[in-house]
Amino acid sequence: MSAPSLDHLRTFVTVHRTGSITRAAQLLGLSQATVSAHVQAVEAVVGSPMFERGRDGVTTTPKGLELARQVAAHLDAIEDAVSPPGLVGDTERAVHVGGPAEILSLMVVPRIAELIAAANAPIRMTFGLAQELLDALTSGALDVVVSAVPPQREGVTAVPFYDEEFVLVAAASWEGRDPEEVPVVAYAENLPIVRRYWRSVFGRAPSALRIAGVIPDLRGIREAVLGGIGMSVLPAYMVEDDLRAGALIALDDPEVAPLNTLYLATRSGDAERYPAIAAVAESLRRLIS
């Protein structure tokens, strides 16, 4: 069987990046039936499903992730090479930035004009988890990543540049309560952020916390905590105004607040070869502070 066409691969990569047949069809100007047919053509050649279908969209399978890593950067390079002058900037292509949704939305997006001006190029943002973003950086789909974990990968250069300070917070109605008696609003079922706080501050894992809700977005957790549902551990930059206004209280006041170091990652050598990437990386250092 022949290799999939470039059109079919571009459709596959677009579905992978958007997580949605519908959204991919909108971006590509195709019908949903055509997008599905393109994906099926790729699956027929590869001999394996590329996506798992769900009510809220699609999730890329391990085989699909492997193919996306192999072809995405090459497809982008082909499109960059044949794009009409001026379509994505006369002197530089768009710079693709990835990072946690919360910190980019709160610290960078309000001043994105500064980022665009520094790069002299359009900016494309991708939100996600650290390992997924680093995969995209390695494959060439992203140019700069703000990573919440140390990027220990060949071909990636990373520097620590910002320490997130975390605070155990709740609405004022919970004042005076033992933290282990207060329900938790968690990022995930295994309480990753709360457990890290407990180990760092109390020297042990939490033993009997009750989960009131799971919201995989720190901004949503903040809203739930403001609503009095329970407590959570949130970055200080996100709740400092709430604490100052008395809308939230700190349930604990450790001598040394738990920190999480953020890293700025690029592919090795890209900052030297592409001035726009270097400019974006430097601007991110300034904006996230």
Side-chain angles (χ1 to χ4, degrees):
M1 186 176 292
S2 61
S5 72
L6 290 178
D7 284 343
H8 293 172
L9 287 172
R10 169 49 66 198
T11 300
F12 156 70
V13 169
T14 304
V15 174
H16 162 67
R17 286 175 171 169
T18 61
S20 167
I21 296 287
T22 302
R23 180 60 178 148
Q26 293 169 345
L27 290 174
L28 295 169
L30 302 173
S31 69
Q32 291 186 47
T34 299
V35 170
S36 295
H38 285 188
V39 171
Q40 289 167 6
V42 174
E43 291 175 333
V45 173
V46 177
S48 179
M50 297 290 98
F51 304 103
E52 294 177 356
R53 276 73 173 177
R55 286 193 312 176
D56 299 325
V58 298
T59 301
T60 310
T61 63
K63 191 69 174 179
L65 283 172
E66 180 182 349
L67 180 62
R69 290 168 187 154
Q70 291 173 343
V71 304
H74 300 292
L75 289 168
D76 289 342
I78 291 171
E79 288 193 355
D80 287 344
V82 301
S83 293
L87 185 61
V88 292
D90 290 333
T91 59
E92 296 285 352
R93 66 174 177 83
V95 179
H96 295 258
V97 177
E102 300 87 354
I103 197 162
L104 291 186
S105 294
L106 294 176
M107 286 192 172
V108 178
V109 170
R111 298 170 63 186
I112 194 171
E114 297 178 35
L115 206 63
I116 295 170
N120 191 30
I123 299 296
R124 303 287 185 265
M125 285 196 177
T126 299
F127 300 153
L129 299 177
Q131 296 301 344
E132 296 170 353
L133 296 170
L134 291 171
D135 286 344
L137 177 67
T138 303
S139 73
L142 294 175
D143 299 307
V144 185
V145 166
V146 176
S147 175
V149 301
Q152 299 172 339
R153 296 177 180 228
E154 185 177 355
V156 170
T157 298
V159 293
F161 78 107
Y162 179 72
D163 287 328
E164 290 182 293
E165 180 179 318
F166 284 86
V167 187
L168 181 63
V169 294
S173 57
W174 295 101
E175 188 169 11
R177 297 286 293 273
D178 183 329
E180 295 204 343
E181 297 177 356
V182 181
V184 177
V185 185
Y187 190 87
E189 290 288 349
N190 63 345
L191 310 179
I193 302 174
V194 174
R195 284 183 179 276
R196 188 164 63 238
Y197 184 97
W198 242 254
R199 290 195 179 97
S200 175
V201 173
F202 303 123
R204 57 181 174 82
S207 56
L209 296 181
R210 179 171 64 86
I211 298 177
V214 174
I215 305 173
D217 187 299
L218 297 181
R219 295 164 297 180
I221 291 176
R222 170 183 169 271
E223 293 297 329
V225 173
L226 282 168
I229 293 174
M231 68 175 181
S232 197
V233 175
L234 290 169
Y237 70 81
M238 185 177 289
V239 296
E240 57 188 0
D241 289 342
D242 301 319
L243 291 168
R244 194 159 36 241
L248 293 177
I249 60 168
L251 292 179
D252 183 56
D253 184 22
E255 290 186 13
V256 179
L259 300 176
N260 182 56
T261 300
L262 296 180
Y263 297 82
L264 205 56
T266 58
R267 285 182 301 280
S268 299
D270 273 9
E272 291 75 25
R273 287 190 294 268
Y274 304 109
I277 291 178
V280 166
E282 185 56 38
S283 293
L284 286 170
R285 290 174 189 263
R286 186 181 69 256
L287 295 177
I288 301 177
S289 61

